[in-house]
Amino acid sequence: MNWKTAAAQKTVDTIRVLSAEAVERAQSGHPGMPMGAADFALVLWAGHLRFDPADPNWPNRDRFILSSGHGSMLLYSLLHLFGFPLTLEDIKSFRQWGSRTPGHPEHGITPGVETTTGPLGQGFANGVGMALAQKLIAARVNTDKFPILDHRVYAIVSDGDIMEGVTAEAASLAGHLGLGNLIYLYDDNDITIEGDRNLAFSDDTRRRFEALHWQVLPADGHDRDAVDAALRAARAETGRPSLIMCKTRIGFGCPHKCGAADVHGAPLGADELKATRAGLCWNYPEFFIPAEAYDFCREAARDKIAAAAAWRQTMADFRRQEPERAKLFNALVNGELPADLEERALAAVDQKPVATRKASGQILQALSPAIPALFGGSADLHPSTNTLIKKQPLIGPGRFEGRNLHFGIREHAMAGMANGMALSGLIPYVGTFMVFSDYMRPSVRLAALMKLRVIYVFTHDSIFVGEDGPTHQPVEHVAALRLIPNLHLFRPADGPETAIAWTAALRRLHGPTALALTRQTVPALDRARYAPADGARRGGYVLGGADEPGIILMASGSELPIAAAAFEELEKRGVKARLISMPCLELFDEQDEAYRRSVLPPACRRRVAIEAGRSTSWHKYTGLDGLILGLDRFGASAPASVLAREFGFYPEAALAAIGRAYPEFAP
Amino acid sequence: MNWKTAAAQKTVDTIRVLSAEAVERAQSGHPGMPMGAADFALVLWAGHLRFDPADPNWPNRDRFILSSGHGSMLLYSLLHLFGFPLTLEDIKSFRQWGSRTPGHPEHGITPGVETTTGPLGQGFANGVGMALAQKLIAARVNTDKFPILDHRVYAIVSDGDIMEGVTAEAASLAGHLGLGNLIYLYDDNDITIEGDRNLAFSDDTRRRFEALHWQVLPADGHDRDAVDAALRAARAETGRPSLIMCKTRIGFGCPHKCGAADVHGAPLGADELKATRAGLCWNYPEFFIPAEAYDFCREAARDKIAAAAAWRQTMADFRRQEPERAKLFNALVNGELPADLEERALAAVDQKPVATRKASGQILQALSPAIPALFGGSADLHPSTNTLIKKQPLIGPGRFEGRNLHFGIREHAMAGMANGMALSGLIPYVGTFMVFSDYMRPSVRLAALMKLRVIYVFTHDSIFVGEDGPTHQPVEHVAALRLIPNLHLFRPADGPETAIAWTAALRRLHGPTALALTRQTVPALDRARYAPADGARRGGYVLGGADEPGIILMASGSELPIAAAAFEELEKRGVKARLISMPCLELFDEQDEAYRRSVLPPACRRRVAIEAGRSTSWHKYTGLDGLILGLDRFGASAPASVLAREFGFYPEAALAAIGRAYPEFAP
């Protein structure tokens, strides 16, 4: 393509002015990035990125991620210009309630937005997950004749992305795996919010990424031919990811604020906007898009649309000639589940004492053969988290036939990559110790916000980690995860509840699930005496006891046996008690009121909750007259049995506390 | 020193066997790392590290951090051998309840343990903060004649540290700042828990750290002369941090398990331990330490002890000849506060509408001249977080006279470094948006566990961030921070409460405090009508209303004015109501029962809490009969005023909800 034409220039300037105008109208936003990145972004979109504006979910489209999500107007401008279903009216309502143009790009709100970005580094890691997903699917379905999935993943990343730790982790793993389908453009503009980037940063970024086995290509980000050449070189490199370092000036086009920090995150202001328009000889009305710009983009899109149409034809042939592979393709990109999921899961566990992390591992072995889309691994802890799919090869550099990925000691990138894998249709599960859920929390939050089916296998879920001590003993983490909206946390009490938890996580299409699993063996609940684990599907359920209880005992996970023992003793004493298992509070809260009242009768205010962690989660159910046996301090290094004794997590201690709180139930 | 002597070898083998025996006795722990690192660790401790075993807190000691904290027996062995107050009996109770030898090193439990480690990457970042603290203090107190503080910071780091993102951030900033007083030894042993490191990792670590402007020195970690030479080279380099890459074999000394993953995190087992002892010709009883080992270490310690004594003499001279500097030194290393702290803080704010982040900035300007130990900065957001100390120079490469550090877009390293600064006596404050508190949570937790005085300035503390949308709007973060044991979270409602929050944070010697501050302007509370802000010192306090209320309204931060308006309307209607401000729930919970009951009379069950965030924090106070106006979903991109309307955060909506919940209070 000829990048020096007046039409190309007009298109770039359209992006600049439109972005500045939208920010000005909203009186909030980030004009500097879209203006600075417009040149190289247009080269990418017009010259290289593969998409079909009429079918934003075309499976073989190239993925584009704006990791520097604050520059959202760049993306909205491009989507509009290239004919995606995003109108000028949408752009005029930038950052307004209910609009399709929120302040940062949100997946699910705007067609063509591949992932929700803004928190820095997340888009970088998402893209690594997407590139891996492409490799995993391609390794299973592509044939020489039918290269069904051969798209690339592109992103624009900023100084913020480059500095964040999650980026370092994801970049290291991308380089290790040799993800040649990954091409990132770095908007290398020397400016951050506090001023010149060199106030805080002097990395030799080229050398750093080369040390991680990336191809690094410097380019003048305003020289469209140079960017085009770099993109060609990046596409030619299939064995390594590429980083194109686009040297740019932030706010390019602003006569006074260009290259300065204050163009980053605030409207230009009427005067500077006027001067910008004058400098660009922009004599159009506000929010006007010249015909040349539309024409340029539509012309560029023509080949892309034709390619998408050709792919659909190829896909039709593929379905006919390779029906098995086509079926597998569907199973992979749609994350399909077997009809007998629950039976398989429940058959994998039995009613014996077990550490729920072990039960989880058994369930994983039983389910994985029936779920081709299930891929995962751990942050270097699989012997402890039981997250390895046995008899399946490893994923490694250039080897994508396996199911198991060694994420390395990179929890944050693991969770960020999982989001990218889920956005590609796969069902990722990722494991680490519960206490390290903190390391990945920003990505967990985005999975919840994006409504992604990601499964977190968090083992070692309480102080009963034991000797490793307080640095490794979660106390607040279970409660803290419950706070993330749209995340379900399951803390199963035995093998069958673990099976229900896994199936609930898999069947939950619009949100992530965290499994909180024990390190230690937990006693088997006597399911002959108590209700079946099936009730766990509703988050909380009655295990047994009186219809009109005088006292209710509830617990989750490894503390349920303690509650059960106390309950049995109370029954022996003739107390009308009830025992409730509460493996998933969020799911219980989603049940209708009648069900919730049937489990927790409002008339009964003597309510006891037992959980070896912060008590905060439970006040909602126990109220001012209730009793919570929790742990509101850090743990300590000692054998688990000693900790149980010292912190009062055993039936006699529970009964004593109940007796103190409710003397009428004392022996 | 001659590293080839039989005594040196005996000492190294003592560390190996003692570590393996302690793990074996505890039947849990990590023998591989201490055995592999014993050679180079001994060279560091005997030949280079400056300390005084009788005075573990000697201010000018070199700091030693075991960032790979799982290898705690290495550190305990060294502390014991070199004469720190840690007995063989202590070591025999490794990992037991109440012992001084917990599973991972814990600062405050064991003399000589400089920081609590275990969660990977944290020690790495702590050390960068310690090295910075040394530079900051030295720049203020050292003279040519009196180089009072010239110690170095050493750490042993592992593959896990090297892979973690927080390390990448901290290493980048250390290289940028040119911290030549930082020397890290990398236990480069090719093994991680899941197996060979190259399963997940193929960085060119040397090149990567050179790109961050570190001196990188490779050495055979079992060649003690080579390690000694590398340490000399590292000490000779004063303008760059150094990474000594010590190539080692994990579990060195084990005949069968050496070099394998299963020696990492489990006891050797009786057979392998026996074989190890045989291989090392170790014919001593269990837990026996040969006299040669004690002698070797005591001999090595002699010069160190003499140096410490000489320093004390120098310090005495310094106090006499440089009394002002000596006073400053005390203020810095003890984090001293002025007596009139509260007056200064309160004088900085007035009773006008203000964004609490702005009030915080005013308070910072007023307090910082009186608190020499107060240093801080933000993760590239100071124009928004108001965390810059004006009229003070910046901290930068080779420039340590300033007060303000640009941490860059590195939230996690910022918090990890703050821990190191606090461990050095300084009072660090660090700022970012509340939503990004998730990025630094592992370090916040460790500050709380270590009882460090760190101040987090978290601005933009609710959905009222507005247009930036749900990625930037905290919903669960305030509640989630409240869950971390020993962390106080203050969410002040106006200028005076912000002043109280700052002073409470500064006066809190044994734990961190998070300030949750608004982006938006909040109305000024009519303090003539209501109680003074002083009550905020108790976490929650009565602002006004009936002695025997029929309904209680409570709120924090920007929602207090909504509660106040609703309260005033209820009073107008003749309802006996009470208004409570609850800026710090943790502090309120720490008050005695009589006070808590005086604020929240048990007889009143009509309790309404208002906070624009997850409601979970409040059930404890409102109970089953209460009402919480919270936000249990993600926010949305729109102007703050629109969000207030849509989500019902305005007085009329609150009154309507109260009327629905308690019809007797409807108009």
Side-chain angles (χ1 to χ4, degrees), chain A residues 26 28 30 95-98 102-104 106 116-122 159-160 163-166 168-169 172-173 175-176 192-195 198-204 207-208 210-213 378-383 394-395 405-412 435-436 438-439 441-442 445-446 448-449 467-477 479-480 482-486 605 607 614 616-617 619-625 632-634 636-639 642-643 646-647, chain B residues 26 28 30 95-98 102-104 106 116-122 159-160 163-166 168-169 172-173 175-176 192-195 198-204 207-208 210-213 378-383 394-395 405-412 435-436 438-439 441-442 445-446 448-449 467-477 479-480 482-486 605 607 614 616-617 619-625 632-634 636-639 642-643 646-647:
Chain A
S28 94
H30 302 78
R95 297 184 148 235
Q96 303 310 305
W97 177 264
H104 290 81
E106 292 183 43
T116 298
T117 51
L120 292 168
Q122 298 296 328
D159 283 313
M163 289 194 216
E164 288 286 359
V166 60
E169 294 177 10
S172 171
L173 193 47
H176 171 73
T192 68
I193 291 174
E194 293 189 352
N198 63 19
L199 285 172
F201 182 84
S202 51
D203 288 7
D204 180 341
R207 206 159 172 212
R208 177 185 153 205
E210 284 175 348
L212 309 180
H213 312 297
S378 91
D380 196 44
L381 284 172
H382 80 66
L394 306 177
I395 298 162
L405 181 62
H406 294 270
F407 283 97
I409 302 150
R410 306 182 182 100
E411 297 83 5
H412 201 167
V435 81
F436 300 136
D438 274 352
Y439 275 74
R441 208 169 153 88
R445 179 175 212 258
L446 282 164
L449 180 58
E467 292 90 342
D468 272 348
T471 55
H472 285 56
Q473 293 168 354
V475 169
E476 73 276 27
H477 300 77
R482 286 176 180 142
L483 291 172
I484 298 176
N486 195 39
R605 293 288 181 113
R607 299 174 174 197
R614 286 302 299 247
T616 315
S617 304
H619 290 285
K620 178 177 188 177
Y621 309 101
T622 55
L624 300 178
D625 305 309
D632 292 305
R633 51 156 286 178
F634 287 111
S637 172
V642 177
L643 295 174
E646 294 290 338
F647 293 129
Chain B
S28 93
H30 302 78
R95 297 184 148 235
Q96 303 309 304
W97 177 263
H104 290 80
E106 291 183 44
T116 298
T117 52
L120 292 168
Q122 299 296 328
D159 282 313
M163 289 194 216
E164 288 286 0
V166 61
E169 295 177 10
S172 170
L173 193 47
H176 171 73
T192 68
I193 291 174
E194 293 189 354
N198 63 18
L199 286 172
F201 182 85
S202 50
D203 288 7
D204 180 341
R207 207 162 172 209
R208 176 185 153 207
E210 285 175 349
L212 308 180
H213 312 297
S378 91
D380 195 45
L381 284 172
H382 79 66
L394 305 176
I395 298 163
L405 181 62
H406 294 269
F407 283 98
I409 302 148
R410 308 181 180 100
E411 297 82 6
H412 201 168
V435 81
F436 300 136
D438 275 352
Y439 275 74
R441 208 170 153 88
R445 179 175 212 259
L446 282 164
L449 180 58
E467 293 91 341
D468 272 348
T471 55
H472 284 56
Q473 293 168 354
V475 169
E476 73 276 26
H477 301 76
R482 287 177 180 142
L483 292 173
I484 298 177
N486 196 39
R605 293 289 181 112
R607 300 174 175 197
R614 286 303 299 247
T616 315
S617 304
H619 290 284
K620 178 176 189 179
Y621 310 101
T622 55
L624 299 177
D625 305 309
D632 291 305
R633 50 157 285 179
F634 288 111
S637 172
V642 176
L643 295 173
E646 295 289 340
F647 292 129

Side-chain angles (χ1 to χ4, degrees), chain A residues 435-456:
Chain A
V435 81
F436 300 136
S437 62
D438 274 352
Y439 275 74
M440 45 200 274
R441 208 169 153 88
S443 300
V444 176
R445 179 175 212 258
L446 282 164
L449 180 58
M450 286 194 269
K451 303 181 178 138
L452 301 181
R453 179 167 48 167
V454 177
I455 302 173
Y456 306 103

Side-chain angles (χ1 to χ4, degrees), chain B residues 6 65 361 369 463:
Chain B
I65 299 169
I463 48 161

Side-chain angles (χ1 to χ4, degrees), chain A residues 331-332 334-337 371-376 418 421-422 424-430 453-455 502 505-509:
Chain A
L332 288 164
N334 300 320
E336 289 175 4
L337 301 174
I371 312 174
L374 192 65
F375 292 86
M421 293 167 76
S424 307
L426 303 181
I427 311 175
Y429 68 92
V430 293
R453 179 167 48 167
V454 177
I455 302 173
W502 259 103
L506 287 163
R507 290 226 182 267
R508 188 163 188 248
L509 300 182

Side-chain angles (χ1 to χ4, degrees), chain A residues 356-393:
Chain A
T356 54
R357 64 174 166 142
K358 287 200 179 156
S360 168
Q362 292 162 8
I363 294 158
L364 180 63
Q365 306 314 318
L367 295 184
S368 50
I371 312 174
L374 192 65
F375 292 86
S378 91
D380 196 44
L381 284 172
H382 80 66
S384 295
T385 54
N386 295 299
T387 40
L388 195 77
I389 302 178
K390 293 168 193 166
K391 302 181 196 159
Q392 280 281 340

Side-chain angles (χ1 to χ4, degrees), chain B residues 109-189:
Chain B
I109 301 251
T110 319
V113 170
E114 300 283 359
T115 182
T116 298
T117 52
L120 292 168
Q122 299 296 328
F124 193 112
N126 296 165
V128 176
M130 290 179 188
L132 174 64
Q134 186 273 323
K135 292 282 188 191
L136 294 172
I137 300 170
R140 284 157 175 77
V141 303
N142 283 7
T143 66
D144 286 346
K145 187 174 171 190
F146 295 110
I148 292 300
L149 221 64
D150 62 358
H151 62 266
R152 294 185 177 81
V153 179
Y154 295 91
I156 295 180
V157 306
S158 65
D159 282 313
D161 294 297
I162 291 292
M163 289 194 216
E164 288 286 0
V166 61
T167 291
E169 295 177 10
S172 170
L173 193 47
H176 171 73
L177 293 171
L179 297 176
N181 54 344
L182 193 70
I183 300 174
Y184 282 2
L185 297 100
Y186 169 26
D187 181 25
D188 185 8
N189 65 22

